[in-house]
Amino acid sequence: MIPHLSILVSRFNQYIQNLTSTNLGTLILSLTIYLLFSSIYFPESVFKKLNKSFSQNEIFIQDFVNHKIDHPLEATKNKDEGDHFMKRELRISPYLVGKIFHLNAIKLFYLQSLSLIAFIWFFFSTIKKLTHNDSSVAFWSVLAILFTYVGNSFNFDTLFYDSFAYLGLMLSIYFYDKKISILFLIFSFFVDERAVIPSLILPIYYILNNYEFSKIPTKIGEVLRLLIFKNKSFYYVAASISAYFLIRTILYVQFDLKTPVGSNSGVSIGFALRHGMNMIYAIYYALKIFLIFPMLAIYALAVNKQHWLAISLFLIFFACLLISTSVDDVTRSMSFSFILIFIAFKLAYEFKETKPLRHILYLMFIVHLITPTYTLLLSLIPMEPWRWAKLF
């Protein structure tokens, strides 16, 4: 007789709970998840290296990155502002990592794939902490995020190195009340400037983690005092953004490194509208069903009279959407907003909604697993599973 499915799932959840009672167990789980996920979505950099199938454009980009690794502060010459290479002048974090550890462009992609293990560990550990040691919610959340563009990018991306920024943002959430978060944020900003806006969530996250919800004030003056003057995360984010723009200014003045903007550079409000319905799909693939989590958090804050926190979260989420639709690569851009979902996990525990949340996550994982993931780069590009089979 086959045991009831709910009993099997309950036993499995208890096994995960027991396994991850130690950091070693969590590491074992992270490695296992990484290997299983990579068996489905095999690292593209490894596949293309073995299969010798890098496109000419990818080879050009690798040559560009290798040159920037050797000369990270040398401005690219004779490039017009519509050239994507110009947008990568100030995205120097990957180049510096390559220079410090003597890695070329391909090896940086290998490192990007391996860094997914760390992303899984910190994502799992953060949600486990938010839900007061509920490993099952953390486990199913990890599986659900892996089958979005955020998770896929670590193995799929052979062009941009965005995943280093996703990991940096993840670390900034994990160490939200520590000074080291400043370094992780600056690192992320110099992977891609689109990481700046999502980082503004950290002061709200700090309040929800350091004050009893029922005692958080609702008047705007008192809320601003908590958001700014009595908020470590605000100072760390402010220091990070200030340092980022100061360094950018110095790099521009001293080395002529800059980021072009405007419609000629493919950056303007509503630029992605030219893609029609593909733009909607591209936004969805970034986080898939996780997209509703910031909206649920906004609603939960509003109905519980925290209108100013709700407005703050709404403005950050809206800014992420606005920026994402102001460029061609909508999916990549929207993926930076993944750290907003942690507010929903915090509120779910606060309002004792972890059981329904767990059931939602079961459904999310199944939907994310069985539905494809695409990224928008001029057209919707699918992320193909089981690529390794083509090597034989």
Tab-separated table of all heavy atoms in Angstrom, residues 182 185-186 189-190 196 199-200 234-250:
chain	number	residue	atom	x	y	z
A	182	ILE	N	28.197	46.640	3.617
A	182	ILE	CA	28.632	47.747	2.757
A	182	ILE	C	29.499	47.221	1.614
A	182	ILE	O	29.317	47.594	0.448
A	182	ILE	CB	29.405	48.796	3.575
A	182	ILE	CG1	28.503	49.426	4.632
A	182	ILE	CG2	29.993	49.873	2.657
A	182	ILE	CD1	29.235	50.354	5.591
A	185	LEU	N	27.401	45.263	-0.919
A	185	LEU	CA	26.576	46.144	-1.741
A	185	LEU	C	27.414	46.853	-2.801
A	185	LEU	O	27.025	46.890	-3.979
A	185	LEU	CB	25.860	47.170	-0.858
A	185	LEU	CG	24.706	46.625	-0.017
A	185	LEU	CD1	24.214	47.675	0.971
A	185	LEU	CD2	23.558	46.139	-0.892
A	186	ILE	N	28.546	47.395	-2.404
A	186	ILE	CA	29.408	48.077	-3.381
A	186	ILE	C	29.853	47.101	-4.468
A	186	ILE	O	29.868	47.434	-5.665
A	186	ILE	CB	30.628	48.717	-2.681
A	186	ILE	CG1	30.177	49.838	-1.747
A	186	ILE	CG2	31.619	49.261	-3.715
A	186	ILE	CD1	31.285	50.409	-0.880
A	189	PHE	N	26.916	46.643	-6.803
A	189	PHE	CA	26.675	47.815	-7.645
A	189	PHE	C	27.657	47.871	-8.807
A	189	PHE	O	27.309	48.333	-9.900
A	189	PHE	CB	26.794	49.102	-6.820
A	189	PHE	CG	25.833	49.209	-5.664
A	189	PHE	CD1	26.073	50.104	-4.629
A	189	PHE	CD2	24.695	48.422	-5.600
A	189	PHE	CE1	25.200	50.217	-3.564
A	189	PHE	CE2	23.804	48.517	-4.529
A	189	PHE	CZ	24.071	49.419	-3.507
A	190	PHE	N	28.883	47.410	-8.567
A	190	PHE	CA	29.885	47.434	-9.628
A	190	PHE	C	29.859	46.168	-10.498
A	190	PHE	O	30.688	46.024	-11.384
A	190	PHE	CB	31.282	47.673	-9.056
A	190	PHE	CG	31.584	49.122	-8.821
A	190	PHE	CD1	31.646	49.638	-7.531
A	190	PHE	CD2	31.776	49.990	-9.888
A	190	PHE	CE1	31.918	50.975	-7.317
A	190	PHE	CE2	32.041	51.334	-9.691
A	190	PHE	CZ	32.109	51.829	-8.394
A	196	VAL	N	21.322	48.831	-7.375
A	196	VAL	CA	21.194	49.914	-6.391
A	196	VAL	C	19.770	50.014	-5.847
A	196	VAL	O	19.557	50.045	-4.623
A	196	VAL	CB	21.633	51.265	-7.002
A	196	VAL	CG1	21.298	52.411	-6.042
A	196	VAL	CG2	23.120	51.252	-7.316
A	199	SER	N	18.451	47.451	-3.282
A	199	SER	CA	19.137	47.527	-1.986
A	199	SER	C	18.420	48.449	-1.013
A	199	SER	O	18.622	48.360	0.207
A	199	SER	CB	20.584	47.994	-2.180
A	199	SER	OG	20.642	49.371	-2.510
A	200	LEU	N	17.572	49.332	-1.523
A	200	LEU	CA	16.843	50.265	-0.660
A	200	LEU	C	15.838	49.553	0.242
A	200	LEU	O	15.274	50.171	1.153
A	200	LEU	CB	16.122	51.314	-1.519
A	200	LEU	CG	17.023	52.206	-2.385
A	200	LEU	CD1	16.183	53.132	-3.243
A	200	LEU	CD2	17.993	53.002	-1.527
A	234	PHE	N	20.034	51.579	7.120
A	234	PHE	CA	19.976	52.821	6.350
A	234	PHE	C	21.373	53.422	6.198
A	234	PHE	O	21.766	53.841	5.107
A	234	PHE	CB	19.053	53.840	7.028
A	234	PHE	CG	19.087	55.188	6.357
A	234	PHE	CD1	18.325	55.432	5.229
A	234	PHE	CD2	19.913	56.210	6.838
A	234	PHE	CE1	18.379	56.669	4.581
A	234	PHE	CE2	19.974	57.439	6.197
A	234	PHE	CZ	19.200	57.671	5.075
A	235	TYR	N	22.131	53.458	7.282
A	235	TYR	CA	23.476	54.019	7.229
A	235	TYR	C	24.380	53.186	6.333
A	235	TYR	O	25.219	53.731	5.597
A	235	TYR	CB	24.061	54.122	8.636
A	235	TYR	CG	23.353	55.133	9.505
A	235	TYR	CD1	22.698	54.752	10.662
A	235	TYR	CD2	23.330	56.485	9.152
A	235	TYR	CE1	22.032	55.683	11.458
A	235	TYR	CE2	22.676	57.425	9.932
A	235	TYR	CZ	22.025	57.021	11.091
A	235	TYR	OH	21.372	57.948	11.863
A	236	TYR	N	24.232	51.860	6.378
A	236	TYR	CA	25.077	50.999	5.553
A	236	TYR	C	24.739	51.152	4.072
A	236	TYR	O	25.637	51.210	3.224
A	236	TYR	CB	24.920	49.538	5.983
A	236	TYR	CG	25.337	49.268	7.419
A	236	TYR	CD1	24.828	48.177	8.125
A	236	TYR	CD2	26.240	50.108	8.075
A	236	TYR	CE1	25.207	47.933	9.435
A	236	TYR	CE2	26.620	49.868	9.388
A	236	TYR	CZ	26.097	48.787	10.069
A	236	TYR	OH	26.468	48.552	11.365
A	237	VAL	N	23.437	51.231	3.765
A	237	VAL	CA	23.033	51.423	2.367
A	237	VAL	C	23.453	52.806	1.882
A	237	VAL	O	23.973	52.959	0.763
A	237	VAL	CB	21.500	51.239	2.205
A	237	VAL	CG1	21.055	51.637	0.803
A	237	VAL	CG2	21.103	49.792	2.488
A	238	ALA	N	23.245	53.819	2.723
A	238	ALA	CA	23.640	55.188	2.351
A	238	ALA	C	25.145	55.266	2.113
A	238	ALA	O	25.606	55.896	1.149
A	238	ALA	CB	23.214	56.168	3.444
A	239	ALA	N	25.911	54.620	2.985
A	239	ALA	CA	27.377	54.621	2.828
A	239	ALA	C	27.767	53.902	1.542
A	239	ALA	O	28.681	54.346	0.820
A	239	ALA	CB	28.027	53.956	4.034
A	240	SER	N	27.080	52.804	1.240
A	240	SER	CA	27.392	52.018	0.043
A	240	SER	C	27.110	52.803	-1.228
A	240	SER	O	27.945	52.859	-2.143
A	240	SER	CB	26.559	50.727	0.032
A	240	SER	OG	26.770	49.972	1.188
A	241	ILE	N	25.937	53.421	-1.285
A	241	ILE	CA	25.555	54.182	-2.477
A	241	ILE	C	26.451	55.408	-2.642
A	241	ILE	O	26.887	55.735	-3.753
A	241	ILE	CB	24.070	54.585	-2.412
A	241	ILE	CG1	23.189	53.330	-2.466
A	241	ILE	CG2	23.710	55.533	-3.554
A	241	ILE	CD1	21.704	53.599	-2.285
A	242	SER	N	26.752	56.076	-1.530
A	242	SER	CA	27.629	57.252	-1.585
A	242	SER	C	29.016	56.860	-2.084
A	242	SER	O	29.593	57.540	-2.952
A	242	SER	CB	27.727	57.897	-0.202
A	242	SER	OG	26.460	58.339	0.245
A	243	ALA	N	29.553	55.773	-1.523
A	243	ALA	CA	30.877	55.303	-1.951
A	243	ALA	C	30.859	54.903	-3.421
A	243	ALA	O	31.813	55.184	-4.164
A	243	ALA	CB	31.318	54.130	-1.084
A	244	TYR	N	29.775	54.263	-3.837
A	244	TYR	CA	29.647	53.820	-5.225
A	244	TYR	C	29.710	55.008	-6.177
A	244	TYR	O	30.485	55.013	-7.152
A	244	TYR	CB	28.335	53.061	-5.399
A	244	TYR	CG	27.962	52.738	-6.826
A	244	TYR	CD1	28.754	51.897	-7.601
A	244	TYR	CD2	26.821	53.288	-7.399
A	244	TYR	CE1	28.420	51.600	-8.916
A	244	TYR	CE2	26.470	52.996	-8.708
A	244	TYR	CZ	27.277	52.158	-9.464
A	244	TYR	OH	26.938	51.874	-10.767
A	245	PHE	N	28.916	56.053	-5.898
A	245	PHE	CA	28.892	57.200	-6.800
A	245	PHE	C	30.181	58.006	-6.718
A	245	PHE	O	30.626	58.584	-7.726
A	245	PHE	CB	27.668	58.074	-6.519
A	245	PHE	CG	26.401	57.514	-7.095
A	245	PHE	CD1	25.431	56.954	-6.291
A	245	PHE	CD2	26.190	57.526	-8.467
A	245	PHE	CE1	24.273	56.424	-6.826
A	245	PHE	CE2	25.033	57.003	-9.028
A	245	PHE	CZ	24.064	56.444	-8.202
A	246	LEU	N	30.794	58.040	-5.557
A	246	LEU	CA	32.089	58.722	-5.434
A	246	LEU	C	33.147	58.013	-6.266
A	246	LEU	O	33.908	58.665	-7.016
A	246	LEU	CB	32.517	58.772	-3.969
A	246	LEU	CG	33.899	59.385	-3.696
A	246	LEU	CD1	33.939	60.839	-4.157
A	246	LEU	CD2	34.243	59.273	-2.218
A	247	ILE	N	33.182	56.685	-6.176
A	247	ILE	CA	34.157	55.903	-6.955
A	247	ILE	C	33.887	56.058	-8.450
A	247	ILE	O	34.819	56.214	-9.254
A	247	ILE	CB	34.125	54.420	-6.538
A	247	ILE	CG1	34.582	54.277	-5.083
A	247	ILE	CG2	35.024	53.577	-7.456
A	247	ILE	CD1	34.325	52.898	-4.494
A	248	ARG	N	32.600	56.030	-8.828
A	248	ARG	CA	32.234	56.225	-10.244
A	248	ARG	C	32.749	57.577	-10.742
A	248	ARG	O	33.268	57.691	-11.858
A	248	ARG	CB	30.720	56.165	-10.422
A	248	ARG	CG	30.144	54.765	-10.496
A	248	ARG	CD	28.651	54.835	-10.779
A	248	ARG	NE	28.417	55.403	-12.095
A	248	ARG	CZ	27.916	54.732	-13.129
A	248	ARG	NH1	27.625	53.446	-12.990
A	248	ARG	NH2	27.711	55.316	-14.284
A	249	THR	N	32.559	58.589	-9.927
A	249	THR	CA	32.992	59.935	-10.320
A	249	THR	C	34.509	59.990	-10.511
A	249	THR	O	35.009	60.553	-11.495
A	249	THR	CB	32.566	60.964	-9.261
A	249	THR	OG1	31.139	60.921	-9.113
A	249	THR	CG2	32.996	62.371	-9.666
A	250	ILE	N	35.222	59.388	-9.587
A	250	ILE	CA	36.687	59.356	-9.683
A	250	ILE	C	37.126	58.599	-10.936
A	250	ILE	O	38.018	59.036	-11.672
A	250	ILE	CB	37.299	58.715	-8.417
A	250	ILE	CG1	37.050	59.613	-7.204
A	250	ILE	CG2	38.802	58.465	-8.606
A	250	ILE	CD1	37.418	58.973	-5.881
